[in-house]
PDB file of all heavy atoms in Angstrom:
ATOM      1  N   PRO A  87     218.943  15.402 200.194  1.00 84.00           N
ATOM      2  CA  PRO A  87     217.850  14.806 200.985  1.00 84.00           C
ATOM      3  C   PRO A  87     217.167  13.639 200.263  1.00 84.00           C
ATOM      4  O   PRO A  87     217.325  13.463 199.056  1.00 84.00           O
ATOM      5  CB  PRO A  87     216.892  15.978 201.176  1.00 84.00           C
ATOM      6  CG  PRO A  87     217.158  16.880 200.033  1.00 84.00           C
ATOM      7  CD  PRO A  87     218.608  16.734 199.723  1.00 84.00           C
ATOM      8  N   LYS A  88     216.386  12.943 201.041  1.00 84.00           N
ATOM      9  CA  LYS A  88     215.776  11.720 200.573  1.00 84.00           C
ATOM     10  C   LYS A  88     214.871  11.949 199.360  1.00 84.00           C
ATOM     11  O   LYS A  88     214.855  11.170 198.417  1.00 84.00           O
ATOM     12  CB  LYS A  88     214.946  11.116 201.715  1.00 84.00           C
ATOM     13  CG  LYS A  88     214.938   9.602 201.688  1.00 84.00           C
ATOM     14  CD  LYS A  88     214.308   9.077 202.950  1.00 84.00           C
ATOM     15  CE  LYS A  88     214.104   7.575 202.842  1.00 84.00           C
ATOM     16  NZ  LYS A  88     213.314   7.066 203.958  1.00 84.00           N
ATOM     17  N   LYS A  89     214.141  13.064 199.426  1.00 81.00           N
ATOM     18  CA  LYS A  89     213.169  13.353 198.371  1.00 81.00           C
ATOM     19  C   LYS A  89     213.816  13.388 196.984  1.00 81.00           C
ATOM     20  O   LYS A  89     213.213  13.013 195.995  1.00 81.00           O
ATOM     21  CB  LYS A  89     212.509  14.709 198.673  1.00 81.00           C
ATOM     22  CG  LYS A  89     211.279  15.006 197.831  1.00 81.00           C
ATOM     23  CD  LYS A  89     210.783  16.416 198.060  1.00 81.00           C
ATOM     24  CE  LYS A  89     209.959  16.873 196.861  1.00 81.00           C
ATOM     25  NZ  LYS A  89     209.855  18.297 196.753  1.00 81.00           N
ATOM     26  N   GLU A  90     215.070  13.830 196.956  1.00 82.00           N
ATOM     27  CA  GLU A  90     215.713  13.987 195.654  1.00 82.00           C
ATOM     28  C   GLU A  90     216.793  12.947 195.400  1.00 82.00           C
ATOM     29  O   GLU A  90     217.528  13.041 194.434  1.00 82.00           O
ATOM     30  CB  GLU A  90     216.307  15.385 195.532  1.00 82.00           C
ATOM     31  CG  GLU A  90     215.251  16.397 195.194  1.00 82.00           C
ATOM     32  CD  GLU A  90     215.439  17.707 195.921  1.00 82.00           C
ATOM     33  OE1 GLU A  90     214.986  17.816 197.077  1.00 82.00           O
ATOM     34  OE2 GLU A  90     216.055  18.600 195.348  1.00 82.00           O
ATOM     35  N   LYS A  91     216.900  11.991 196.285  1.00 87.00           N
ATOM     36  CA  LYS A  91     217.948  10.974 196.181  1.00 87.00           C
ATOM     37  C   LYS A  91     217.893  10.301 194.806  1.00 87.00           C
ATOM     38  O   LYS A  91     216.822   9.952 194.320  1.00 87.00           O
ATOM     39  CB  LYS A  91     217.756   9.920 197.276  1.00 87.00           C
ATOM     40  CG  LYS A  91     218.903   8.933 197.375  1.00 87.00           C
ATOM     41  CD  LYS A  91     218.800   8.125 198.652  1.00 87.00           C
ATOM     42  CE  LYS A  91     220.044   7.338 198.904  1.00 87.00           C
ATOM     43  NZ  LYS A  91     220.170   6.095 198.259  1.00 87.00           N
ATOM     44  N   GLY A  92     219.057  10.155 194.196  1.00 87.00           N
ATOM     45  CA  GLY A  92     219.101   9.475 192.908  1.00 87.00           C
ATOM     46  C   GLY A  92     219.019  10.418 191.723  1.00 87.00           C
ATOM     47  O   GLY A  92     219.355  10.039 190.604  1.00 87.00           O
ATOM     48  N   THR A  93     218.626  11.630 191.952  1.00 85.00           N
ATOM     49  CA  THR A  93     218.617  12.610 190.861  1.00 85.00           C
ATOM     50  C   THR A  93     220.057  12.823 190.406  1.00 85.00           C
ATOM     51  O   THR A  93     220.950  13.013 191.232  1.00 85.00           O
ATOM     52  CB  THR A  93     218.036  13.945 191.348  1.00 85.00           C
ATOM     53  OG1 THR A  93     216.752  13.700 191.912  1.00 85.00           O
ATOM     54  CG2 THR A  93     217.914  14.941 190.218  1.00 85.00           C
ATOM     55  N   ALA A  94     220.270  12.751 189.108  1.00 85.00           N
ATOM     56  CA  ALA A  94     221.649  12.803 188.641  1.00 85.00           C
ATOM     57  C   ALA A  94     221.781  13.646 187.390  1.00 85.00           C
ATOM     58  O   ALA A  94     220.830  13.812 186.627  1.00 85.00           O
ATOM     59  CB  ALA A  94     222.139  11.391 188.363  1.00 85.00           C
ATOM     60  N   THR A  95     222.959  14.203 187.213  1.00 82.00           N
ATOM     61  CA  THR A  95     223.240  15.022 186.044  1.00 82.00           C
ATOM     62  C   THR A  95     224.506  14.505 185.381  1.00 82.00           C
ATOM     63  O   THR A  95     225.513  14.294 186.041  1.00 82.00           O
ATOM     64  CB  THR A  95     223.454  16.487 186.447  1.00 82.00           C
ATOM     65  OG1 THR A  95     222.293  16.933 187.129  1.00 82.00           O
ATOM     66  CG2 THR A  95     223.679  17.365 185.247  1.00 82.00           C
ATOM     67  N   LEU A  96     224.419  14.318 184.079  1.00 84.00           N
ATOM     68  CA  LEU A  96     225.588  13.863 183.331  1.00 84.00           C
ATOM     69  C   LEU A  96     225.929  14.939 182.312  1.00 84.00           C
ATOM     70  O   LEU A  96     225.056  15.487 181.641  1.00 84.00           O
ATOM     71  CB  LEU A  96     225.253  12.553 182.600  1.00 84.00           C
ATOM     72  CG  LEU A  96     226.302  12.048 181.614  1.00 84.00           C
ATOM     73  CD1 LEU A  96     227.546  11.565 182.352  1.00 84.00           C
ATOM     74  CD2 LEU A  96     225.738  10.925 180.758  1.00 84.00           C
ATOM     75  N   ARG A  97     227.225  15.243 182.251  1.00 80.00           N
ATOM     76  CA  ARG A  97     227.644  16.209 181.258  1.00 80.00           C
ATOM     77  C   ARG A  97     228.774  15.618 180.455  1.00 80.00           C
ATOM     78  O   ARG A  97     229.775  15.157 181.012  1.00 80.00           O
ATOM     79  CB  ARG A  97     228.112  17.489 181.946  1.00 80.00           C
ATOM     80  CG  ARG A  97     228.362  18.641 181.004  1.00 80.00           C
ATOM     81  CD  ARG A  97     228.894  19.817 181.769  1.00 80.00           C
ATOM     82  NE  ARG A  97     230.270  20.012 181.394  1.00 80.00           N
ATOM     83  CZ  ARG A  97     230.650  20.957 180.523  1.00 80.00           C
ATOM     84  NH1 ARG A  97     229.785  21.764 180.009  1.00 80.00           N
ATOM     85  NH2 ARG A  97     231.906  21.082 180.192  1.00 80.00           N
ATOM     86  N   VAL A  98     228.625  15.580 179.145  1.00 80.00           N
ATOM     87  CA  VAL A  98     229.711  15.147 178.278  1.00 80.00           C
ATOM     88  C   VAL A  98     229.855  16.228 177.219  1.00 80.00           C
ATOM     89  O   VAL A  98     228.982  16.408 176.379  1.00 80.00           O
ATOM     90  CB  VAL A  98     229.407  13.783 177.620  1.00 80.00           C
ATOM     91  CG1 VAL A  98     230.531  13.411 176.653  1.00 80.00           C
ATOM     92  CG2 VAL A  98     229.234  12.704 178.675  1.00 80.00           C
ATOM     93  N   GLY A  99     230.960  16.957 177.298  1.00 74.00           N
ATOM     94  CA  GLY A  99     231.180  18.050 176.355  1.00 74.00           C
ATOM     95  C   GLY A  99     230.050  19.055 176.477  1.00 74.00           C
ATOM     96  O   GLY A  99     229.739  19.539 177.552  1.00 74.00           O
ATOM     97  N   ASN A 100     229.398  19.338 175.347  1.00 67.00           N
ATOM     98  CA  ASN A 100     228.324  20.332 175.361  1.00 67.00           C
ATOM     99  C   ASN A 100     226.963  19.759 175.711  1.00 67.00           C
ATOM    100  O   ASN A 100     226.002  20.490 175.820  1.00 67.00           O
ATOM    101  CB  ASN A 100     228.233  21.000 173.989  1.00 67.00           C
ATOM    102  CG  ASN A 100     228.963  22.319 173.977  1.00 67.00           C
ATOM    103  OD1 ASN A 100     229.011  22.993 174.993  1.00 67.00           O
ATOM    104  ND2 ASN A 100     229.528  22.656 172.843  1.00 67.00           N
ATOM    105  N   ASP A 101     226.886  18.432 175.835  1.00 73.00           N
ATOM    106  CA  ASP A 101     225.579  17.824 176.090  1.00 73.00           C
ATOM    107  C   ASP A 101     225.379  17.556 177.566  1.00 73.00           C
ATOM    108  O   ASP A 101     226.311  17.229 178.297  1.00 73.00           O
ATOM    109  CB  ASP A 101     225.442  16.512 175.318  1.00 73.00           C
ATOM    110  CG  ASP A 101     225.415  16.772 173.832  1.00 73.00           C
ATOM    111  OD1 ASP A 101     224.850  17.804 173.441  1.00 73.00           O
ATOM    112  OD2 ASP A 101     225.976  15.956 173.077  1.00 73.00           O
ATOM    113  N   MET A 102     224.142  17.667 177.966  1.00 76.00           N
ATOM    114  CA  MET A 102     223.840  17.502 179.365  1.00 76.00           C
ATOM    115  C   MET A 102     222.517  16.780 179.527  1.00 76.00           C
ATOM    116  O   MET A 102     221.544  17.083 178.835  1.00 76.00           O
ATOM    117  CB  MET A 102     223.752  18.886 179.996  1.00 76.00           C
ATOM    118  CG  MET A 102     224.115  18.908 181.417  1.00 76.00           C
ATOM    119  SD  MET A 102     224.652  20.567 181.786  1.00 76.00           S
ATOM    120  CE  MET A 102     223.573  20.900 183.102  1.00 76.00           C
TER     121      MET A 102
END
Side-chain angles (χ1 to χ4, degrees):
Chain A
K88 213 171 171 189
K89 192 187 157 201
E90 281 141 276
K91 188 167 191 276
T93 305
T95 303
L96 172 70
R97 189 183 111 101
V98 176
N100 262 328
D101 293 325
M102 209 155 125

